[in-house]
Amino acid sequence: AQKVTQAQTEISVVEKEDVTLDCVYETRDTTYYLFWYKQPPSGELVFLIRRNSFDEQNEISGRYSWNFQKSTSSFNFTITASQVVDSAVYFCALSEDGGATNKLIFGTGTLLAVQP
Amino acid sequence: EPEVTQTPSHQVTQMGQEVILRCVPISNHLYFYWYRQILGQKVEFLVSFYNNEISEKSEIFDDQFSVERPDGSNFTLKIRSTKLEDSAMYFCASKDRGGDTQYFGPGTRLTVL
């Protein structure tokens, strides 16, 4: 069965601190995709990154970086030098290639509060 | 940049009434989805739609729900007789044929009184 676990419900940091959001997933498929979405206070879901199961290269985009480790079924997200605008709920999600529709299975989200 | 749009942004209705939530997916996309997020909870899959039919639905998507693509651009979610527990944010998403990423609309907040 597929499942995504985000054990951190809430994280509070002070601006300019680095912060890592954890994501652990479960799937029986060998081909799958992992995603991070950001939900700011305005409520929309903003796509941040997609990773497929065959690509374990870490990725960096500006202050954001992602660490994908199949050995531990984790796909963690780090924000370097956090800013107040990073305050949001962050969702990790999984989609399996073998499914009929690639539906997204979301974790419960991590609320990140960045204090000035 | 093309985007998914949804109307209305907020809908208030009385219990037992029918509501229709509307979405305009990205124009060249072929896969369409509805998700639901009860306040403070995670985003849950409701239904996916491809080639003018439902391709998968969750256990949440019971007989009170239906989806339709009435023309080449709109994708609607109808709730026949709303219940208090249908109060949530409803997100529409779309994906193109060769892609893996679903792009979400801004959501419709449904409040059932």
Side-chain angles (χ1 to χ4, degrees):
Chain A
Q2 26 0 18
K3 187 178 176 185
V4 176
T5 301
Q6 295 180 254
Q8 303 151 311
T9 309
E10 248 181 86
I11 300 176
S12 182
V13 299
V14 176
E15 213 170 14
K16 296 184 185 171
E17 280 185 33
D18 298 348
V19 58
T20 295
L21 310 182
D22 297 333
C23 173
V24 173
Y25 62 91
E26 291 174 35
T27 177
R28 291 194 184 124
D29 274 23
T30 53
T31 303
Y32 52 89
Y33 304 92
L34 296 163
F35 303 81
W36 277 94
Y37 285 86
K38 175 182 180 180
Q39 187 174 44
S42 48
E44 71 271 26
L45 285 166
V46 179
F47 165 72
L48 294 178
I49 190 171
R50 178 193 76 245
R51 256 295 172 260
N52 74 50
S53 52
F54 297 110
D55 183 2
E56 282 195 76
Q57 261 193 327
N58 291 330
E59 179 155 339
I60 298 175
S61 175
R63 295 184 298 106
Y64 295 170
S65 62
W66 290 270
N67 183 350
F68 175 30
Q69 291 198 339
K70 281 176 84 167
S71 60
T72 54
S73 298
S74 65
F75 185 44
N76 296 338
F77 173 30
T78 297
I79 301 175
T80 303
S82 58
Q83 299 175 1
V84 172
V85 293
D86 296 327
S87 297
V89 180
Y90 291 85
F91 289 99
C92 181
L94 164 73
S95 124
E96 294 172 331
D97 193 52
T101 59
N102 300 124
K103 68 182 181 209
L104 288 169
I105 306 298
F106 283 84
T108 49
T110 297
L111 172 61
L112 174 65
V114 182
Q115 311 294 338
Chain B
E1 187 177 317
E3 57 183 22
V4 178
T5 59
Q6 290 185 242
T7 54
S9 55
H10 191 190
Q11 172 103 41
V12 180
T13 189
Q14 296 290 326
M15 193 168 56
Q17 295 295 305
E18 175 184 286
V19 294
I20 297 176
L21 311 183
R22 291 186 165 80
C23 169
V24 179
I26 294 173
S27 65
N28 61 339
H29 284 187
L30 299 176
Y31 295 84
F32 313 114
Y33 305 83
W34 284 101
Y35 291 83
R36 178 181 84 174
Q37 184 184 30
I38 294 172
L39 185 64
Q41 298 187 22
K42 68 178 179 182
V43 180
E44 300 173 290
F45 168 75
L46 288 178
V47 65
S48 58
F49 193 86
Y50 171 70
N51 202 24
N52 282 318
E53 60 183 22
I54 290 174
S55 44
E56 188 172 354
K57 59 184 181 180
S58 72
E59 56 190 29
I60 302 170
F61 193 88
D62 62 22
D63 293 344
Q64 292 300 312
F65 290 89
S66 62
V67 289
E68 196 176 38
R69 187 152 162 83
D71 53 44
S73 58
N74 289 284
F75 179 51
T76 62
L77 174 70
K78 183 195 290 187
I79 309 175
R80 259 180 277 282
S81 177
T82 49
K83 307 185 189 79
L84 294 176
E85 54 265 36
D86 293 327
S87 294
M89 181 77 97
Y90 288 82
F91 291 102
C92 172
S94 69
K95 181 175 81 74
D96 66 28
R97 185 197 294 276
D100 313 306
T101 301
Q102 294 177 31
Y103 294 93
F104 284 79
T108 292
R109 180 166 299 285
L110 176 65
T111 303
V112 182
L113 302 175

